[in-house]
Amino acid sequence: MTEMLLYILGLVLFALGLLVSIAWHELGHLSTAKLFGIRVPQYMVGFGPTIWSKKRGETEYGIKAIPAGGYIRMIGMFPPGEDGKIEARSTSPWRSMIEDAREASYEELKPGDETRLFYTRKPWKRVIVMFAGPFMNLVLAVALFFGSMMTLGIEGQTTDVAAVQKCVIKQSEKREKCAAGDPVSPAFKAGLKDGDKIVAFNGTPVSDWDTLSDRIRDTIGPATVTVERAGQRVDLHPTLVSNEVPKKDEDGKVVQPLDYEPAGYLGFQSKTEVAPLSFGETTDRMGDLLENGVHSVIALPGKIPGLWDATFGDGERADDSPVGVVGAARITGELMTVEAPPTTILVMFMNLLVGFNVSLFLFNMLPLLPLDGGHIAGALWESVRRHTARIFRRPDPGPFDVAKLMPAAYVVAGVFVCFTLLVLAADLVNPVKIT
């Protein structure tokens, strides 16, 4: 019963975090639009039926039933057609898409709004309005990440010995019990004990796990390990052997998904502790997070076959498989039931929100309509056209009609909808699990 309540608590916390992230995104659009005098009739968090709304000034603020997005409605997103009209007037299906989009952007047009239309603002102002939404998600991600890393910290390995392995087991075999024929581990044979603190390796002091780990991996053969035991320093003389251990990248981090390589092996499990990171360490980790996010977006199309096989075939769901809102909610629910210190669970939950906001930032920056990046690209192209015309003393080409790209935007939206449905099905049928 308690586990179920904790699971439900996780779902509720994720839903609240999702709503805050969406509202924060739309607040970026809203505040900059109002700053530049664009009329905004609506600010909505969610989609579907409205469950609450209140009008303040000229803007209606509200929450809708499905917390899967949000929007603000700005007047005059697209310029009028070449004939100066905005109403739909074509029997061509593609042309009708363009004209319907144009007409929708002028809904609720009131007298005096002629000077408050989105498209009449200079391109740099439109770029700011459209960039402000994703930028707010980036700001929130950075604030949450720095706040959690520098105050709560993360769980990391130390040079203290938690347990000594009695035998040498290839780590790729993923087993813990010794089998007949397994050689005795160097640590056990040399007399390393639980509770020892390794302070030097081959005469060189070590104070952190990464340094100790690298020196162990680089050594095969006799070595001297100095430990602190009951207030005394004791030198041990193990003979390290080669074993299959998780492969590390050039930055010293374990490669994901796991791969293995031969390296020096001592044979003990280190203790872990939660410790805050420095500003520099946190900055490095934030940079890595953004870099990995970019790589994940680029690699996304290549993961679709595996996602399909995991959903409709007999394939396994990869740990780095794309996860949707439902999957992330399930992970948060499971997270709350994990037997771990509350601070560790809180940091993991914060990191989930960080990852979600980084994803919102990166996806929305793609130069494709109907995403924010598509509108940014349109405004930048208009600026290039106008500056080029000015340099060559040609007539001003006027606003770039982004509405003409709406057929392509519907195709992009259709692809995103199909991908979202596939991820949803995978999250329901074969979800990513942490327990």
Side-chain angles (χ1 to χ4, degrees), residues 75-136:
I75 297 297
M77 285 288 291
F78 307 113
E82 295 177 358
D83 55 5
K85 296 181 179 180
I86 60 173
E87 69 274 4
R89 55 198 178 280
S90 174
T91 56
S92 165
W94 293 108
R95 187 67 190 174
S96 293
M97 289 183 186
I98 298 172
E99 293 160 357
D100 288 344
R102 198 188 315 280
E103 185 176 13
S105 75
Y106 287 87
E107 287 180 359
E108 303 180 42
L109 186 66
K110 296 181 180 180
D113 283 346
E114 293 80 8
T115 60
R116 305 187 63 192
L117 306 176
F118 176 79
Y119 86 90
T120 61
R121 296 304 180 262
K122 292 182 178 180
W124 66 268
K125 291 185 177 180
R126 278 179 276 151
V127 168
I128 289 176
V129 171
M130 300 313 298
F131 178 70
F135 181 69
M136 292 291 269

Side-chain angles (χ1 to χ4, degrees), residues 323-341:
V323 175
V325 172
V326 172
R330 293 183 68 159
I331 290 174
T332 307
E334 289 183 12
L335 177 61
M336 292 299 156
T337 65
V338 171
E339 292 185 6

